[in-house]
Amino acid sequence: MHTDRNVLFENLWQDYKAVTPSAAKIHRILGAEEGHAIINDHIALRTFNLQPVGLDALAAHFLALGYREGGEYHFEGKKLYARHYEHADPEAPKVFISELLTEQCSPELQTVVKKLVGQITKEEVTADNFLYSGRHWDLDSGTYRQLLEESEYAAWLAAWGYRANHFTVSVNHLNNFETVADINQLLIEKGFSVNSAGGEVKGSAEELLEQSSTMADRVPIQFSDREVTIPSCFYEFALRYQKPDGNLYSGFVAASADKIFESTNAGM
């Protein structure tokens, strides 16, 4: 496992950027080239609740870097369980890890997923590069489509494997934008699609967190039988509000996260 947090996040970023061409464009739009710092609020990772790749196995990479467990979240409709992790260094990105509760899914989905996960060794999961290692199995487009009919989450994970599902711009750290709505407006003007599930701005000042996201890029991916263009990853924006003690809220709002998951929705 990595001993340097910055190296891990840089590798995650490079891997994410390679399948999310809009990320570099949005960086430019937000002024990265003019020297405006763009701070990452959090990343999100997806997995199945099966050995050896369950949520805890992914979290171990961050616990080894000094992270500690934060809140837990339940998404009953999507059959997901999640936890977030944070670091004592407030500038360190938070980490949101979710897992599909496979036993709640159909026997057909369980059979497919067990076959996929069965191809991963414990050694691969603890390797430095696991969190940005991509897909560890062959997958044909028919199996992807089969998973997609039942669980968009399972289909995305089967297609893309292990990598950051999104990075998140910390709006609090931008010195040329103040609100999530301002960023959404600019992105729409520039031709990006903004996730409108549950409203373009999710959350509120009362909930201490506002979020929005682009819809995932659509990029070609090679399945074992053919190449297909499908949704990859997306970019999120988060504005955190102060708690009564003066510190910024560091958790997540389940109702908002539920809609953010839909940023990768779209068929083949």
Side-chain angles (χ1 to χ4, degrees):
M1 296 191 186
H2 280 284
T3 52
D4 185 318
R5 188 176 81 215
N6 294 329
V7 171
L8 171 59
F9 279 96
E10 180 58 26
N11 286 326
L12 283 160
W13 169 251
Q14 294 302 335
D15 173 72
Y16 159 83
K17 217 166 52 164
V19 297
T20 319
S22 64
K25 293 178 194 159
I26 289 169
H27 256 213
R28 283 197 292 278
I29 292 168
L30 295 181
E33 287 169 3
E34 290 84 59
H36 293 290
I38 294 176
I39 303 297
N40 176 30
D41 178 86
H42 71 272
I43 63 162
L45 298 161
R46 296 180 174 187
T47 193
F48 299 112
N49 70 335
L50 298 171
Q51 295 300 345
V53 297
L55 190 159
D56 289 336
L58 274 62
H61 287 263
F62 299 99
L63 295 174
L65 292 170
Y67 276 76
R68 59 178 186 267
E69 199 176 300
E72 60 175 3
Y73 312 89
H74 300 271
F75 304 95
E76 285 166 16
K78 293 181 174 64
K79 303 181 170 76
L80 304 174
Y81 169 74
R83 274 193 232 124
H84 91 266
Y85 295 81
E86 52 189 87
H87 197 278
D89 175 359
E91 296 296 306
K94 284 164 275 295
V95 178
F96 186 91
I97 307 175
S98 56
E99 62 182 5
L100 182 68
L101 303 173
T102 52
E103 70 283 355
Q104 295 181 15
C105 301
S106 71
E108 293 77 19
L109 182 144
Q110 290 183 55
T111 300
V112 170
V113 169
K114 280 176 183 157
K115 192 173 154 197
L116 300 181
V117 171
Q119 297 172 57
I120 301 185
T121 66
K122 200 171 176 187
E123 290 68 36
E124 286 174 310
V125 178
T126 55
D128 275 5
N129 70 340
F130 179 67
L131 299 176
Y132 47 90
S133 60
R135 194 165 77 207
H136 290 249
W137 44 71
D138 274 340
L139 185 72
D140 63 78
S141 58
T143 304
Y144 171 77
R145 200 165 26 239
Q146 177 195 337
L147 292 171
L148 191 60
E149 284 176 14
E150 181 172 347
S151 166
E152 183 281 326
Y153 183 103
W156 187 94
L157 186 49
W160 293 108
Y162 290 90
R163 48 170 34 101
N165 166 264
H166 61 269
F167 271 69
T168 309
V169 173
S170 168
V171 179
N172 298 78
H173 288 83
L174 293 175
N175 47 18
N176 46 348
F177 294 90
E178 286 186 2
T179 70
V180 173
D182 287 346
I183 291 177
N184 287 348
Q185 187 57 42
L186 177 68
L187 292 174
I188 290 166
E189 284 168 12
K190 297 285 186 183
F192 291 92
S193 295
V194 171
N195 175 345
S196 59
E200 287 178 356
V201 178
K202 294 147 194 35
S204 62
E206 291 73 37
E207 292 170 295
L208 303 180
L209 177 64
E210 288 180 0
Q211 295 165 273
S212 75
S213 64
T214 61
M215 290 302 288
D217 283 354
R218 294 181 65 86
V219 300
I221 187 170
Q222 190 63 52
F223 289 116
S224 56
D225 55 335
R226 63 193 179 108
E227 186 179 87
V228 185
T229 296
I230 66 169
S232 60
C233 306
F234 59 93
Y235 217 166
E236 190 184 318
F237 310 89
L239 178 65
R240 294 180 179 277
Y241 289 86
Q242 282 185 346
K243 298 182 295 187
D245 66 7
N247 292 316
L248 287 180
Y249 176 67
S250 63
F252 293 84
V253 176
S256 301
D258 187 72
K259 300 303 182 193
I260 294 279
F261 278 117
E262 295 176 23
S263 303
T264 49
N265 278 10
M268 293 178 69

